[in-house]
Amino acid sequence: MSDDKGRDFEVVNRSVPRRDGRAKVSGRALYVSDVKLPGMAYAKVLRSPYAHARIVSMDTSKAESRPGVYNVLRGDDLEGLNPYFGHAVKDHPLVAIDKVRYAGEPVAAVIAEDELTAYEALEFIHVEYEELPAVMEPQEALEPSAPLLHQREFEAGALRGFEGEVTAGRGTNLCQEHHIKWGDVDEAFAKAAAVVVAEYYFPMAYAYAMEPYVAIAEVGDQGVTIYSSAQHPFMVRHDLKTIFDMPVSQIRLIVPFVGGGYGSKSYTKIEPLVSACAWKARRPVKLQLSVEEAMLTTRGDDALTWMRTAVDADGKIIARQAKIYMNTGAYAENSPLVCEKSSNRCVGPYAIPNVQIDNQMVYTNTVPASSFRGFGCAQVTMAGESQIDELAAKIGMDPYEFRVHNAAQPKQEFFPGMRPFDGTLTQDLKIVADNLGWKEPLPDGHGRSIGCSASDAGAYPLTSTAVRVHADGSASLMIGSTELGQGSHTVLPQIVAEELGVPFDLVRVVSSDTAITPYDRSTGASRTTTLMGRAVQEASREAMEQMVRMAADVLGVKESEIATVRGGITCGEAKLTWSEVLTRYYRLPDGEVIGRAYIRKDGDFAQLPVFWEAASTGIEVSVDEETGKVTMEKLGTCGDVGLAINPALAEGQDIGAATTGMGIGMFEELEFDRNQLLNGNLLEYRLPRFSDMPRTVKLELVQNRDGVGPYGAKGGGEASLNSLPANIANAVYAATGARIRRAPLTPEKVWRAIRDARAARGENES
Amino acid sequence: MSKDRPALVELRFELNGKDVAVECEPQQTLSEVLRGRLNLTGAKISCEVQVCGACTVLVDALPVSSCTYLAYEAQGRSVTTIEGLEGRDRTLHPIQQCFIDEFAFQCGFCTPGMILSAKALLDDNPDPTDDEIIHHMDGNLCRCTGYVPILKAIRKAAAVMKEARG
């Protein structure tokens, strides 16, 4: 393939090895967990045993007097700080103030000379609580008699990421609601040829970033400096600006390698707490959470979705209606945006003329929920893609054919007001169907399913970057995008190398330091390759434009007489590399030129979403009817990525996302026993392992260059998660005739459903 | 250090081919000594209950979870960490190279433990079947890759190591 000047790609669209490879296989890759600062103290957190309680009194004197303890941070001693944070709703105190709203909420932090001393001091803090009635389920929390979690009115965050009003803090437990309506659903359902109506559940899930949350803060004359595992350092900076009432120039977030994110490290987590500890103790403080504590910090939003979908006599979908209850837990975090996105994502990837979606995001006394890979789409696609198979069965149509018959078409504005569809679902579905051997006969006890999804992805387009081209011909790329493992430190310098014509190995990446790297809103919503990739491409081109002017100056010619070639310029007989241009311009073999780019909601990015993230996934399972155990035998994915800057990395995103989708579809769920998290550790929270993986995996990419990213690229990395839980429910149905509408499909649930299905068919239990 | 801390004990063992002596508290784990006292941060701490394998190191060629293995148990033994795998001429161990070649990691947090677990397998069983690899590696979690690229990397490393032996 070739670039927009007709030159064959040399660096882009190739699976070049990862830039961080050597560091990561040798143990030298630096994560915040590995960082120590001179004079650093350590914090440990005391957590609430109650889901909902008033803090009557707290005695920290014994803990404070222990040897090696510097301070104890408590909620009634934060004078001088604005202690509430939240980019969407400022409802989250950095440590509990007056009351606790979930079991596991931080109520105090001990700061000591080492971790063990801090940990041992926790048991010397005495807290008297007055327990309050707790509410754990969204529908119960909306009852007028339900205990109210938040008594205050909230200020909406300036960076909440959506245009609607914030509904939190109006005297109910409603955190946010979102409604979509076009056409007339009641009329459409009245005249439908067939309708399926049912309720579906998507569980509370834990992202398990292998590196638990960690941050180190220092508060000094220059302001606040924080080393953090945050995905979005610039968003965290904005929260800290408010907490400390400082300009953003005095808040510095530094993010080295991050040990997994998957959305769980997006937005602000422990940074306010650790920086308050550093402020109080007047020394650098490190707070390293355990996995158990990470499970008490953020989870994915669970969702109960009532949905009905109607078809006409030709098998065309004519209406869909959904009523969704989502559970944000004790604090809003990013759930208001999850509410909006999950509503939008009920529709695609089908063109439906009559739609009504009503979604309520509700506070409960559970662990706060926020972004998690899939971001609302996974929640409602469990409902949507299950229902598509149920409808196909009802009208006697093949579920693959039914999807192809109804899928949104390229350039179709299937969601009024949004960017027309920029993918090719029928092509994606066909690739997966062919790879699964869709029409081939299956052994007994096996079932297969196919699915697809399309998410309004890319978040908000606000991104900037700088490409510094040095006089020796090397380059430095300054990016605010964090390297979570997705490969941005490889993909983005590939673009610089392609544009400037310099070797890939000569492009250094400098990343994620808010004091140094230009602003990037976030690293999430699959946006980096598209938005930062485009910024990097434009900044490289802007650097070349400057170097063309410099070449005109040194050659004494007009700019128009200069032509750019890969790696430099020509002008008549003269041919100069970028290194020669800069060296002659500065009259020294040193110095640089800085190319810049700013992406905003304008031009190619004026219409949202930035792109539709589309994919198809298919699986084959075998089901042991005696035990209910489901085994995934085959997996096929097809990512509709426009152009893969690095195909191996793009495919790696697809299989990684599909594996998490398989986990949620088959075993993952945070379970509460009354008010307490029951399985808040990795012994009891079951994650996908080596032996769970299918033996046949076929990963493919469709590259039609139909995106607004560099060279037509679009993002990937979430879509193959979204359809997987429904894939599993549909394949289990195909194998056994048992329909299960609640993920995960654990062996017990499958066994019971098979028994019930047999009973319903009038078969005897064997 | 607080006054009510237990007395330090002296610990001697072989670390990546060199003898080391270090003082530690008797309750300290091997990962605390490696990461905290010897500044070898390659072994990562995640689950702390021997489920994830991120902290895996080799003790007398066998993989152990250094997050729960008492440092004192390493007394007189031979410990290999990820930092000990690279050759003196900075060439990577074939397993390390194959992990890069096969894109067998993303965030990298599981990688040191994965590579050491794989090394223990291949040193003991140079030509494993896929089933043997999967069985051996089932105690190492990865949330990024979906495991398939890791399986490929280990398979390839076995072939490379076999060829190197001739």
Side-chain angles (χ1 to χ4, degrees), chain A residues 15-18 20-22 24-31 33-34 36 66-68 113-114 116-117 120 206-212 257-260 262 290-292 372-373 483-486 646 648-649 652-653 655-657 659-660 663 668 682-683 685 687-695 697, chain B residues 1-5 25 27 35-37 39 41-54 82-83 85-86 89-92 95-97 99-101 103-112 114-115 130-131 133-135 137-151 154:
Chain A
S15 296
V16 305
R18 291 185 68 102
D20 51 10
R22 197 160 177 120
K24 285 181 173 173
V25 299
S26 64
R28 283 194 296 270
L30 191 76
Y31 302 82
S33 341
D34 305 325
K36 275 188 209 170
R66 287 183 61 78
E113 63 186 13
D114 59 61
L116 191 60
T117 304
E120 285 174 346
Y206 166 54
Y208 185 45
M210 208 161 204
E211 175 193 40
F257 286 124
V258 177
Y262 325 107
S290 65
V291 161
E292 279 88 340
F372 181 19
R373 200 172 197 172
E483 177 56 271
L484 313 167
Q486 82 283 36
N646 186 314
L649 291 178
Q653 285 297 298
I655 185 173
T659 304
T660 300
E668 293 186 39
L682 285 202
L683 289 168
Y685 186 89
L687 289 154
R689 297 194 287 250
F690 262 93
S691 54
D692 297 316
M693 294 309 293
R695 294 304 176 95
V697 175
Chain B
M1 195 60 59
S2 307
K3 291 178 190 68
D4 54 354
R5 284 292 180 77
E25 294 177 25
Q27 85 289 352
R35 291 179 55 86
R37 301 207 174 227
N39 292 314
T41 56
K44 298 300 179 205
I45 301 303
S46 184
C47 75
E48 300 181 88
V49 286
Q50 297 185 27
V51 168
C52 76
I82 192 68
E83 289 88 351
L85 255 60
E86 236 173 287
D89 60 353
R90 304 195 176 201
T91 53
L92 294 174
I95 303 174
Q96 292 175 305
Q97 188 59 50
F99 267 61
I100 295 177
D101 295 345
F103 293 84
F105 55 87
Q106 291 178 25
C107 84
F109 213 72
C110 73
T111 311
M114 284 284 176
I115 289 173
D130 279 2
D131 281 341
I133 296 173
I134 289 165
H135 179 74
M137 298 301 295
D138 219 26
N140 287 75
L141 295 180
C142 170
R143 191 58 148 167
C144 295
T145 63
Y147 302 105
V148 173
I150 301 176
L151 177 64
I154 296 171

Side-chain angles (χ1 to χ4, degrees), chain A residues 46-50 52-60 74 76 96-100 107-108 122 124-132:
Chain A
L46 182 72
R47 293 174 183 277
S48 166
Y50 296 108
H52 201 190
R54 198 170 68 81
I55 299 170
V56 177
S57 66
M58 191 185 303
D59 182 357
T60 52
R74 40 194 286 174
D76 57 2
I97 296 172
D98 301 331
K99 69 183 277 191
V100 291
V107 292
L122 292 178
F124 293 89
I125 298 175
H126 179 74
V127 186
E128 191 186 335
Y129 297 93
E130 177 196 338
E131 202 176 350
L132 301 168

Side-chain angles (χ1 to χ4, degrees), chain A residues 78-95:
Chain A
L78 299 173
E79 201 174 326
L81 300 181
N82 298 312
Y84 289 89
F85 69 96
H87 65 285
V89 182
K90 293 211 175 302
D91 62 358
H92 204 156
L94 61 91
V95 63

Side-chain angles (χ1 to χ4, degrees), chain A residues 373-384:
Chain A
R373 200 172 197 172
F375 203 91
C377 190
Q379 284 87 335
V380 296
T381 302
M382 172 65 197

Side-chain angles (χ1 to χ4, degrees), chain B residues 33-93:
Chain B
V33 170
L34 291 172
R35 291 179 55 86
R37 301 207 174 227
L38 298 167
N39 292 314
L40 293 178
T41 56
K44 298 300 179 205
I45 301 303
S46 184
C47 75
E48 300 181 88
V49 286
Q50 297 185 27
V51 168
C52 76
C55 65
T56 302
V57 300
L58 305 183
V59 177
D60 290 344
L62 290 175
V64 304
S65 294
S66 65
C67 74
T68 42
Y69 184 95
L70 285 177
Y72 198 77
E73 288 188 68
Q75 184 76 276
R77 294 178 190 268
S78 168
V79 175
T80 304
T81 70
I82 192 68
E83 289 88 351
L85 255 60
E86 236 173 287
R88 281 194 189 159
D89 60 353
R90 304 195 176 201
T91 53
L92 294 174
H93 187 281

